[in-house]
Amino acid sequence: MNDLLQVGVITQTHGVRGEVKVFPTTDDPQRFKKLKQVVLDTGKEQLPLEIQSVKFFKQFVILKFKGIDNINEIEKYKRCPLMVTRENAVKLEEDEYFIADMIGMSVVTEDGEQFGTLKDVIETGANDVYIIDSAVHGEVLVPAIKECILDVDIEGRKMTIHLLDGLI
């Protein structure tokens, strides 16, 4: 499991005083109001940054980091992800999981037969949809509902599913 979880991506600068426009990759963009620190992943290094101010504009979050006061200091970080440590992550409710912890887990049917590997998660308005890569059936879309998802074992990296008629 990753120690860092992505909460957003810097899309561009905002003004000339070091603010950035961030596309949130979290379910709740309002969480940035309570967030004190993020980790900027440049690909080569991880820089801890303290959040000085937070504003909202359309679907974006405008962040100002402490110690970064002009456009030249922040411009090089466009398209870099912003991460949080697990301690700063949103507390999960029962039957909620971080997508990063689920990707790549083994998927088996209720009969114990190997079905495939969880490749991705599509977040829809009603419920998530799991994309499962199956050697036999190709890419299979399974809704994340109690009738289909019988068990998720994050530590064991295994998901047990029930295939409703018509899914394959």
Side-chain angles (χ1 to χ4, degrees):
M1 288 196 290
N2 298 336
D3 289 333
L4 295 174
L5 301 167
Q6 183 174 309
V7 291
V9 177
I10 296 176
T11 59
Q12 60 188 30
T13 58
H14 182 78
V16 295
R17 294 193 173 90
E19 290 182 312
V20 289
K21 205 180 270 191
V22 174
F23 180 77
T25 56
T26 175
D27 289 345
D28 181 17
Q30 295 295 318
R31 75 180 313 272
F32 281 95
K33 287 181 183 176
K34 296 177 187 154
L35 206 53
K36 304 276 186 248
Q37 194 171 36
V38 292
V39 177
L40 176 71
D41 187 354
T42 67
K44 296 178 184 157
E45 61 181 332
Q46 295 176 337
L47 306 171
L49 296 173
E50 191 175 330
I51 296 176
Q52 184 175 318
S53 69
V54 178
K55 297 185 276 192
F56 298 93
F57 177 72
K58 297 184 181 176
Q59 79 267 31
F60 295 100
V61 180
I62 309 296
L63 295 181
K64 168 79 174 81
F65 301 113
K66 200 172 208 173
I68 297 179
D69 298 316
N70 72 57
I71 191 171
N72 298 328
E73 295 176 59
I74 198 72
E75 195 165 31
K76 59 187 168 196
Y77 300 125
K78 284 186 204 175
R79 292 182 293 286
C80 287
L82 294 175
M83 318 292 271
V84 294
T85 59
R86 283 195 181 267
E87 298 83 53
N88 289 326
V90 173
K91 301 297 177 240
L92 296 174
E93 300 291 325
E94 188 178 342
D95 293 333
E96 286 186 337
Y97 311 97
F98 292 117
I99 292 172
D101 293 343
M102 297 177 70
I103 301 297
M105 73 173 25
S106 172
V107 179
V108 297
T109 63
E110 59 196 321
D111 304 330
E113 292 180 38
Q114 180 63 33
F115 184 75
T117 304
L118 184 68
K119 184 169 125 184
D120 205 355
V121 177
I122 301 170
E123 297 179 72
T124 68
N127 54 266
D128 291 348
V129 176
Y130 296 154
I131 301 174
I132 301 170
D133 202 10
S134 169
V136 176
H137 306 287
E139 201 172 80
V140 179
L141 303 178
V142 177
I145 56 176
K146 289 183 194 273
E147 292 83 11
C148 292
I149 308 304
L150 303 179
D151 184 54
V152 177
D153 178 4
I154 294 293
E155 284 77 33
R157 308 270 310 136
K158 184 170 115 179
M159 177 186 295
T160 306
I161 64 170
H162 167 73
L163 290 169
L164 294 174
D165 290 340
L167 286 179
I168 50 174

